[in-house]
Amino acid sequence: MALFGLVAVAVAFVAWRVNSVLVYDWDWSRVLGFVARFDAETGAWVSNLLLQGLFTTIRLAFWGTILAAIIGLIVGYWRTCDTLALRIISRTYVELIRNIPPLVFIFIFYFFISSQLFPALGLDSIDRDSPWVDNALFRMAFGEPALFTNFLSGLICLALFEAAYITEIVRAGIQSIDRGQWEAGRAIGLSRFNLLRDIIFPQAIRKILPPLAGQFITLIKDSAIISLISVQELTFLASEVAATTSRVFETWILVAAMYFALCYLFAHVFARLERRASRSRR
């Protein structure tokens, strides 16, 4: 209760300072109109820019986590394998990503790699009017077809960046298993693949899952960076709303609340899953 009281006092103090020093005229109605709007044609409320940006952020987090987890599991295994070439490749990837600022990495990938790779793969020439693309399921999973290549570029960029950290989580989880279990598995004739699948990885996954959940929440927050390459997620659209309405404080306070609610929701879900998993192990 004391902590909540201190937070309430701090919020009240900041609000008082804003009103007394900046003499700011608060107007939430203009910003809230960009969360949802009433469509006169359909007679229903529909999502507006900020809510659409939030949906794009969730899409990026969902697909980015899947792709980053796949890359991280493979490269994390390479970090622990006996093949020197694979260890060198995986170590180079991790050190390269971890020692380049995210902003620099995103610009390099977007302007020098994806701009060359996507045309070569034919992704720029996808028929957006095709029934495979122009349908409700595709829009729910990837957003507007016209912005698909932009979304895909940001997704791959974000996944590659986050996968470097997942790689180290996987490596640490595998190496945390006692070496005696490796030797015992080899002694009874198990191959390295069977040893990993049946003995090592089932134990390592229990240690990997909690930091992976934290990395998922980190990915949600890091998705704001790719607004710099015009991916229309929450931060990018919030910048447009702030510029359009001139309601800077209201816009960014609302966006901060949306990020907090999203991250807190997933943190609560992962905490419950972790407690349930710990009870099942007992």
Side-chain angles (χ1 to χ4, degrees):
M1 293 300 294
L3 182 60
F4 280 118
L6 288 174
V7 171
V9 169
V11 171
F13 177 76
V14 170
W16 173 75
R17 290 290 295 174
V18 169
N19 285 324
S20 62
V21 176
L22 298 180
V23 194
Y24 189 75
D25 184 20
W26 295 90
D27 184 6
W28 289 95
S29 60
R30 296 182 64 187
V31 176
L32 292 175
F34 283 94
V35 176
R37 63 180 179 84
F38 184 77
D39 189 354
E41 294 183 1
T42 60
W45 288 90
V46 296
S47 60
N48 209 344
L49 288 180
L50 292 178
L51 203 55
Q52 292 169 9
L54 181 64
F55 292 152
T56 302
T57 296
I58 294 173
R59 293 185 193 103
L60 285 168
F62 176 76
W63 293 114
T65 300
I66 293 175
L67 185 56
I70 294 172
I71 298 172
L73 285 171
I74 295 172
V75 182
Y77 166 69
W78 288 358
R79 294 275 280 131
T80 63
C81 71
D82 298 328
T83 306
L84 179 61
L86 293 180
R87 291 206 308 271
I88 292 174
I89 293 171
S90 60
R91 178 68 180 272
T92 302
Y93 166 71
V94 170
E95 296 299 335
L96 187 67
I97 298 297
R98 291 175 65 185
N99 292 288
I100 293 179
L103 184 60
V104 176
F105 172 74
I106 287 171
F107 281 144
I108 290 174
F109 180 86
Y110 182 72
F111 290 110
F112 297 102
I113 299 178
S114 67
S115 61
Q116 304 296 322
L117 183 62
F118 285 5
L121 296 175
L123 293 175
D124 282 350
S125 57
I126 292 178
D127 184 8
R128 297 182 176 89
D129 296 324
S130 168
W132 294 98
V133 175
D134 189 13
N135 58 74
L137 182 61
F138 186 91
R139 285 188 171 86
M140 183 179 69
F142 303 106
E144 285 298 321
L147 302 173
F148 175 66
T149 53
N150 234 24
F151 175 86
L152 188 60
S153 181
L155 169 64
I156 295 174
C157 187
L158 194 62
L160 287 174
F161 181 77
E162 297 296 333
Y165 296 91
I166 294 178
T167 294
E168 289 300 279
I169 293 172
V170 172
R171 176 196 60 78
I174 293 175
Q175 291 181 342
S176 68
I177 307 303
D178 187 76
R179 294 299 301 178
Q181 299 197 41
W182 290 88
E183 296 168 1
R186 292 192 182 99
I188 61 175
L190 290 177
S191 65
R192 183 177 177 85
F193 174 77
N194 289 332
L195 183 57
L196 274 169
R197 184 190 65 186
D198 299 330
I199 298 177
I200 303 301
F201 198 70
Q203 298 178 74
I205 196 67
R206 297 172 183 172
K207 301 179 179 181
I208 290 172
L209 281 179
L212 276 182
Q215 199 63 38
F216 174 75
I217 295 172
T218 301
L219 191 147
I220 294 175
K221 295 181 289 186
D222 288 347
S223 65
I225 303 174
I226 63 173
S227 63
L228 298 170
I229 56 175
S230 300
V231 177
Q232 296 193 352
E233 46 75 63
L234 182 55
T235 301
F236 179 85
L237 293 177
S239 300
E240 292 192 344
V241 171
T244 301
T245 61
S246 301
R247 300 286 93 190
V248 178
F249 283 119
E250 293 92 330
T251 300
W252 291 113
I253 289 173
L254 180 60
V255 169
M258 294 171 77
Y259 273 116
F260 175 81
L262 186 62
C263 293
Y264 183 80
L265 172 64
F266 283 113
H268 183 68
V269 170
F270 290 137
R272 293 195 62 177
L273 291 175
E274 188 177 346
R275 287 195 298 269
R276 182 175 296 179
S278 64
R279 287 197 299 266
S280 65
R281 288 199 296 269
R282 295 172 188 169

